[in-house]
Amino acid sequence: MVVDTCMDHVPVDLYDNEEMLNGFINCIPEDSGYRAYVGSTAGGLRQLLLEKPEGLDNLNYVDGEYSLKVKLDAMDECGVDAGIIKIPCWQEWLDIKTCRMVNDDAAQMCADSDGRIFALAAVPPWDDEENYRELERCIGELKMCGVQMACHYGERYLDDPAFRPFLARVNEMGIPVYVRHTPLPADWKHLVDYNNVRRTLGRVIDQSIAVGRELFSGMLGELPNVKFVHTLLGGNWYGVAASMIPRKSARAESMVRLESDSREKVLEYLDKNLFFEATHASTLGKDQLESAVKICGADHILFGSSFPVFHGWMSDGVKMIRSLDITEEEKDLILGENAVKIFGLK
């Protein structure tokens, strides 16, 4: 079974539903530096754009790319059995009213998919009973398989105490958290000048900051039941894991420059609580993916494509995983078995 754990979802009627569209556009904080508006592609299709700073686009949602038929046709073509849908990045700002509409739309798509599409709940992560009721509705009534969160909200990453009550409720419910990268990290000004740096490295840095803060804050000790699935291999976490989690020196040093006393606890968190989605695996390359498997373990990596950003990210991604010099059992874990286990798919 092949499961694409990262399929972007935008309500199909977004551009014709004024209440929904206004919910997306008006939720952006005025002082955030973002600008959201509806424009047109070169071919005349409507698109919802997000710019930061103004004039530099970071997200483009093109009308017609997010229907169930488009998803299922691509899945059939690429050999993908099931997909998990989520709002790409916009969950950083959506208010509870708009979240309800988004969740209802996603649940309807799941119901119409003959069991091939699953959804993650979109809920503001603040300590509010209305938010908790929506989370419980999504999991209990709408049968969603987890909750989606952004890497950070404003300048607050998920280790911030403001999110602890919400995450404590998630911990009690025993549901996974899919942590989506945001368009740019909280500190972004030196990333915006060049398109590929802004749209790729910005997301990678955002993920690695989030993973580091979750690991070293101690928050995972309070949330033992929560499994966090981070996109973009956790900001290529495998590449910095050894240096970020140093062993104690064999001799007494004149001063302690890196904290190593928490090494065993951090490794435990990595094993029990942190998982990494290989977003658009085909762009990562064979060497990088094999290194990630060696360091993180095939049981901690999930396949994802970010479809429909690029159609090829789904088809080429499946082929890339199958081409790796790892065991067939490890390929099966990455392509679907990990997703089935973590998200409880049936």
Side-chain angles (χ1 to χ4, degrees):
M1 183 173 180
V2 177
V3 180
D4 188 336
T5 61
C6 184
M7 296 184 70
D8 290 350
H9 172 67
V10 174
V12 176
D13 66 343
L14 176 65
Y15 299 92
D16 300 309
N17 183 330
E18 184 176 353
E19 184 180 21
M20 180 89 74
L21 186 59
N22 286 338
F24 269 72
I25 293 176
N26 295 336
C27 70
I28 306 295
E30 292 183 358
D31 60 350
S32 67
Y34 285 105
R35 179 189 178 220
Y37 63 98
V38 175
S40 298
T41 67
L45 296 174
R46 293 175 296 183
Q47 63 172 328
L48 180 62
L49 292 99
L50 184 78
E51 297 179 346
K52 183 173 183 177
E54 187 170 343
L56 298 176
D57 61 310
N58 285 289
L59 296 175
N60 314 73
Y61 300 162
V62 179
D63 191 11
E65 289 189 340
Y66 297 89
S67 71
L68 176 60
K69 183 179 187 308
V70 168
K71 288 180 171 63
L72 294 180
D73 285 349
M75 291 163 66
D76 289 341
E77 181 182 340
C78 301
V80 172
D81 300 295
I84 299 177
I85 58 174
K86 62 194 69 66
I87 292 289
C89 301
W90 224 276
Q91 70 269 37
E92 184 181 351
W93 311 286
L94 288 182
D95 58 34
I96 185 62
K97 180 180 179 181
T98 309
C99 281
R100 285 197 197 97
M101 292 189 286
V102 168
N103 291 328
D104 286 339
D105 183 86
Q108 187 61 55
M109 180 171 287
C110 294
D112 294 339
S113 73
D114 196 24
R116 295 186 67 187
I117 299 293
F118 301 84
L120 296 173
V123 182
W126 311 106
D127 186 20
D128 184 279
E129 284 304 318
E130 192 172 10
N131 297 337
Y132 297 139
R133 284 194 295 271
E134 179 61 12
L135 178 63
E136 290 166 359
R137 182 180 81 97
C138 287
I139 302 302
E141 179 182 331
L142 302 184
K143 305 303 180 185
M144 293 184 172
C145 61
V147 62
Q148 56 185 297
M149 296 183 73
C151 261
H152 63 83
Y153 294 78
E155 295 188 352
R156 300 183 183 201
Y157 283 86
L158 299 187
D159 62 303
D160 192 286
F163 305 116
R164 206 59 55 84
F166 183 84
L167 287 171
R169 185 67 63 94
V170 169
N171 183 69
E172 291 174 7
M173 296 174 70
I175 57 176
V177 178
Y178 185 97
V179 184
R180 182 71 185 233
H181 54 267
T182 55
L184 286 167
D187 301 312
W188 52 266
K189 291 186 178 179
H190 291 91
L191 291 165
V192 300
D193 295 323
Y194 307 104
N195 193 64
N196 288 17
V197 174
R198 181 178 71 257
R199 298 195 65 149
T200 299
L201 187 59
R203 290 160 165 78
V204 170
I205 291 173
D206 197 35
Q207 279 285 325
S208 59
I209 291 172
V211 171
R213 294 185 68 89
E214 289 162 19
L215 283 173
F216 289 97
S217 66
M219 62 180 281
L220 297 175
E222 301 176 28
L223 306 166
N225 301 322
V226 180
K227 290 180 170 57
F228 291 89
V229 179
H230 279 268
T231 57
L232 297 167
L233 284 175
N236 297 336
W237 179 257
Y238 69 94
V240 298
S243 58
M244 289 287 290
I245 313 172
R247 297 179 183 274
K248 282 189 176 182
S249 178
R251 50 162 288 175
E253 302 289 349
S254 57
M255 65 180 297
V256 178
R257 292 177 170 85
L258 291 174
E259 194 274 315
S260 59
D261 289 340
S262 62
R263 173 181 167 80
E264 296 305 317
K265 187 59 68 175
V266 170
L267 290 174
E268 180 182 334
Y269 297 151
L270 274 173
D271 180 52
K272 293 183 177 180
N273 303 99
L274 270 292
F275 298 82
F276 306 112
E277 182 238 300
T279 318
H280 39 83
S282 60
T283 67
L284 296 172
K286 188 171 181 291
D287 292 341
Q288 288 84 347
L289 283 168
E290 289 174 355
S291 295
V293 173
K294 182 178 180 180
I295 295 169
C296 300
D299 58 343
H300 281 65
I301 298 175
L302 298 84
F303 169 70
S305 72
S306 287
F307 182 86
V309 176
F310 286 106
H311 185 284
W313 283 356
M314 182 186 288
S315 58
D316 295 342
V318 174
K319 294 175 185 175
M320 174 63 75
I321 300 300
R322 294 202 186 281
S323 75
L324 299 180
D325 291 328
I326 58 177
T327 68
E328 292 302 313
E329 290 77 10
E330 288 173 322
K331 294 175 186 178
D332 289 342
L333 286 171
I334 295 169
L335 285 172
E337 290 180 9
N338 291 334
V340 171
K341 180 179 179 180
I342 292 170
F343 292 103
L345 306 184
K346 297 180 181 179

